[in-house]
Amino acid sequence: MLNPRDVKSIEDAKAIVEERGLTHVKVGVFDNDGIMRGKYMSKAKFFSSLENGFAFCDVVLGWDSKDQLYDNVSYTGWHTGFPDAPVRVLPESCREIPFEDGMLLFMGEFEGPAESLCPRGTLRKVVDKAKELGFDAFAALEYEFFMFNETPKSIREKGYKDLEPITPDWFGYSMLRNSVHAELYQQILAMSETMDFPIEGLHTETGPGVLEAAITVDSAVNAADKGALFKTFMKVLAQRNDMMATFMAKWSADYPGQSGHIHISLRNSDGSGSSFYDPSQKHNISKIQRHFLAGQQRLMPEFLCMIAPTVNSYTRLIPGFWAPTDATWGVENRTTALRVIPGSEKSQRVEYRLGSADANPYLALAAALAAGIYGIMQEWEPEAQIKGNAYDQCHPEELALPRTLWDAAQRLKSSEAARTMFGDPFVEHYAASREWEEREFRKHISDWEMNRYFEII
């Protein structure tokens, strides 16, 4: 019997479906916002799609997270009639869904003109650029997320207020909490093994009902696959337990935001080892790692909307809540946006701490990796290392991060580096989608405005 993760070819994919006697399988693609869009597909249709691809309405690249249609993009829209876009099935993406009786899931990737906008395709493009320079990219993603004793129905009935976290109070790294809720933790760990996004560490973070999961390192595209699937199926698992998980950057002004930190390293494609590790240098930082770090630092303001993609993302980027506010770097310093982690030949890396949990894993990793690769290409040097509390220090103006999603979108549009690394079609389309997101936000009146202005002004 074939193991789902041993499926590598079209023939393997057909064989495992036949072995399991499945009449249908699940197929899915990821959209701009990192949301998995998919469907059940009959065996006959799936076998045909393995050979020839299949068509998926390109509206999934033309609407937002609430299925509202962009009115400011050229790729698709009412003016094109929302035609189908070709999608190739990725046989090697095969996973078993543990709670669906042997059901298999396969991921897809857009082809043709849509490939230039496809999040997974965008990351693959950056990985290919790294390969051309002689580097293999590796990454590990870690996510903080809050869990609630709520359902999709109850949160709407409550108007998203007075929500009940699964545990009260602040209690990070709690052995008490993970023992009381051992069955839930075991479900999470078992699912992560079955679906091949194995968790290296799972613990409570500081805040009511918040957990942190660190996913095991893998090659860059595989790491993004693991992160995207983890976010999707963690929400599924929670709802199957009459709970809800949220990956919002910040759901309450009273608690810290939720991060999506990205650990990145490069290895030499010729097999000669780490590109980042040089024991003759201070903190083992090689010349390549120094240039990579400089690129990440210099381009962070320009690529920010790929890392912080929602209006809500910017409520997290404030001093004192474990989220960086400037493009700073330090060695083992968690107050900076970039944390160099000195280690062995195998563990020397950079942690991109700016990342938030609401980011699309493919695009966040593409941005963090592309910035570093561009820095290597330009042989840039980083600014001075930050020691101590980065929040208490003054930084060069060019290191300041945009404060709103709109401003971040403008920086991406005007970025020569972004157009070089991601291509003009992606930059234009993605920046427009972030402008749309900000415009949708501006249509609404907040509770804060009502409370502040209704009677008194």
Side-chain angles (χ1 to χ4, degrees):
M1 293 285 287
L2 270 170
N3 182 298
R5 297 309 290 138
D6 291 333
V7 172
K8 303 300 179 188
S9 66
I10 290 174
E11 292 71 26
D12 290 343
K14 291 180 177 179
I16 194 171
V17 172
E18 293 285 15
E19 281 180 1
R20 295 189 174 212
L22 297 176
T23 62
H24 292 76
V25 298
K26 276 189 172 178
V27 295
V29 295
F30 284 91
D31 71 9
N32 271 349
D33 293 293
I35 299 166
M36 197 173 202
R37 309 282 187 168
K39 57 188 174 182
Y40 288 97
M41 182 181 284
S42 72
K43 181 176 78 171
K45 174 69 174 175
F46 178 66
F47 281 8
S48 173
S49 298
L50 284 167
E51 300 282 357
N52 307 306
F54 68 96
F56 208 117
C57 179
D58 75 1
V59 73
V60 300
L61 295 172
W63 64 16
D64 64 18
S65 59
K66 296 288 281 186
D67 293 3
Q68 300 305 298
L69 303 171
Y70 303 142
D71 65 5
N72 60 343
V73 297
S74 60
Y75 166 74
T76 190
W78 293 117
H79 62 287
T80 67
F82 294 108
D84 285 338
V87 174
R88 58 176 164 263
V89 178
L90 305 170
E92 68 277 12
S93 69
C94 180
R95 261 90 171 171
E96 179 175 345
I97 301 177
F99 31 75
E100 287 200 46
D101 247 352
M103 176 57 62
L104 296 175
L105 170 71
F106 290 84
M107 295 165 57
E109 193 175 81
F110 285 101
E111 293 188 294
E115 185 170 358
S116 64
L117 312 182
C118 175
R120 194 176 191 274
T122 298
L123 173 59
R124 186 169 41 74
K125 181 185 296 184
V126 175
V127 169
D128 289 345
K129 287 182 184 293
K131 191 76 172 178
E132 289 170 8
L133 295 175
F135 305 113
D136 294 328
F138 291 83
L141 306 180
E142 55 186 40
Y143 289 105
E144 295 169 356
F145 56 102
F146 277 81
M147 296 280 289
F148 297 88
N149 290 321
E150 303 288 351
T151 66
K153 182 180 179 182
S154 72
I155 60 171
R156 286 165 172 81
E157 289 176 340
K158 291 182 173 184
Y160 299 90
K161 296 178 181 177
D162 302 319
L163 304 181
E164 180 189 343
I166 63 169
T167 56
D169 216 347
W170 301 58
F171 203 172
Y173 299 100
S174 170
M175 195 63 73
L176 175 63
R177 297 281 190 248
N178 68 23
S179 299
V180 170
H181 291 274
E183 290 80 8
L184 174 63
Y185 280 73
Q186 291 302 321
Q187 286 184 52
I188 296 171
L189 295 172
M191 177 181 69
S192 76
E193 293 293 329
T194 299
M195 297 194 73
D196 190 30
F197 39 79
I199 293 175
E200 191 173 85
L202 178 65
H203 61 87
T204 61
E205 256 296 350
T206 183
V210 61
L211 306 183
E212 179 173 325
I215 303 171
T216 304
V217 65
D218 206 332
S219 59
V221 176
N222 286 342
D225 286 342
K226 293 176 191 294
L229 289 170
F230 170 75
K231 288 181 64 178
T232 300
F233 284 92
M234 186 61 242
K235 288 179 276 193
V236 171
L237 180 65
Q239 292 191 31
R240 290 177 63 86
N241 282 278
D242 291 323
M243 298 176 179
M244 292 195 74
T246 183
F247 290 83
M248 280 184 69
K250 196 164 188 178
W251 74 274
S252 169
D254 298 326
Y255 307 116
Q258 300 180 95
S259 67
H261 296 159
I262 306 169
H263 294 253
I264 300 181
S265 62
L266 296 182
R267 299 190 69 79
N268 299 320
S269 300
D270 62 8
S272 59
S274 171
S275 312
F276 281 1
Y277 180 75
D278 183 347
S280 71
Q281 299 299 310
K282 190 174 183 180
H283 305 302
N284 304 327
I285 299 174
S286 71
K287 180 176 73 170
I288 293 298
Q289 186 176 24
R290 204 171 63 244
H291 295 328
F292 188 90
L293 181 69
Q296 289 190 313
Q297 181 179 38
R298 190 178 300 192
L299 294 177
M300 190 177 288
E302 296 180 25
F303 292 4
L304 181 62
C305 70
M306 296 172 67
I307 301 289
T310 71
V311 171
N312 184 249
S313 302
Y314 296 80
T315 65
R316 170 179 167 265
L317 303 179
I318 58 175
F321 273 96
W322 296 99
T325 53
D326 296 276
T328 54
W329 76 277
V331 176
E332 285 292 11
N333 189 335
R334 285 183 167 87
T335 70
T336 55
L338 298 163
R339 170 186 169 223
V340 172
I341 303 176
S344 66
E345 192 272 339
K346 289 186 177 180
S347 63
Q348 183 89 10
R349 62 193 188 276
V350 177
E351 180 187 20
Y352 201 97
R353 291 184 56 79
L354 181 69
S356 61
D358 61 348
N360 181 329
Y362 296 103
L363 298 185
L365 181 51
L369 178 59
I373 295 299
Y374 197 81
I376 293 172
M377 293 163 60
Q378 304 299 319
E379 297 187 339
W380 284 341
E381 292 293 336
E383 299 287 338
Q385 171 191 344
I386 297 297
K387 298 180 180 179
N389 187 350
Y391 297 124
D392 289 343
Q393 301 177 38
C394 293
H395 309 293
E397 185 177 343
E398 59 268 21
L399 300 184
L401 300 176
R403 298 306 185 201
T404 68
L405 181 58
W406 182 273
D407 290 343
Q410 307 317 302
R411 293 295 298 272
L412 183 71
K413 280 203 300 189
S414 63
S415 171
E416 179 183 335
R419 293 178 182 276
T420 298
M421 300 304 290
F422 310 126
D424 290 335
F426 172 82
V427 171
E428 293 293 338
H429 185 84
Y430 188 73
S433 77
R434 297 311 95 187
E435 290 174 344
W436 164 270
E437 190 77 8
E438 179 92 9
R439 282 169 46 209
E440 287 294 282
F441 170 68
R442 295 297 173 195
K443 292 178 182 178
H444 295 86
I445 308 302
S446 67
D447 290 344
W448 183 88
E449 290 169 279
M450 293 296 289
N451 177 276
R452 191 171 187 88
Y453 303 130
F454 187 89
E455 176 186 3
I456 299 169
I457 288 295

